[in-house]
Amino acid sequence: MDVPSTWATLSIWEHADRLVSNGRLVIDRPAMARHHKMPEYVYPLDYGYLAGTTGGDGEGIDVWVGSYSRHEVTAVACTIDPVKENAELKILWRCTSHEIAEIEKFYVPQPQAALVIIRPGVNT
């Protein structure tokens, strides 16, 4: 695969922006839907994946979708799941500070642990 030389100048955040912007986002768990295996977990925002990509679980890269006006990745959640025995990076697309906090709360009671990294310079 030939890699354009301009890719080397992009930050990880810009790569993530392009991945989401150029991808096909599939929302398979709308906001307020219950987890299909663990109904006590309710998704606070739309949640889905990027079709045609591969995340840490072998399926599409997971994406949380918020309401921030700027179309950019505002944070990522690094997760480790002792049940599935995997680690993943979940993209937080257009999430406000309040929505990021809601996502963090979503993971607190679960066995899956999450560390959220907020994009520097983003004021949501």
Side-chain angles (χ1 to χ4, degrees):
M1 173 180 174
D2 289 329
V3 178
S5 61
T6 55
W7 284 11
T9 62
L10 298 178
S11 73
I12 192 168
W13 300 105
E14 291 165 318
H15 281 296
D17 290 341
R18 283 183 173 208
L19 187 65
V20 178
S21 295
N22 296 333
R24 186 171 65 85
L25 181 59
V26 177
I27 302 298
D28 58 352
R29 297 170 201 166
M32 304 317 295
R34 295 189 177 278
H35 190 280
H36 63 287
K37 293 182 182 175
M38 296 170 281
E40 63 272 24
Y41 302 130
V42 177
Y43 291 87
L45 301 170
D46 287 345
Y47 182 82
Y49 62 93
L50 291 171
T53 63
T54 306
D57 61 358
E59 298 179 11
I61 296 171
D62 295 325
V63 181
W64 287 96
V65 181
S67 62
Y68 184 45
S69 61
R70 292 178 57 179
H71 289 244
E72 64 185 9
V73 174
T74 50
V76 293
C78 304
T79 63
I80 296 178
D81 189 331
V83 176
K84 288 184 178 180
E85 296 184 332
N86 74 8
E88 291 188 76
L89 180 81
K90 299 171 188 292
I91 294 174
L92 282 63
W93 175 248
R94 301 180 55 214
C95 294
T96 65
S97 297
H98 174 74
E99 291 165 339
I100 291 169
E102 290 297 310
I103 293 166
E104 289 178 307
K105 284 196 294 190
F106 174 79
Y107 289 107
V108 169
Q110 297 187 34
Q112 179 177 204
L115 171 67
V116 174
I117 302 169
I118 298 172
R119 185 178 191 156
V122 171
N123 296 315
T124 59

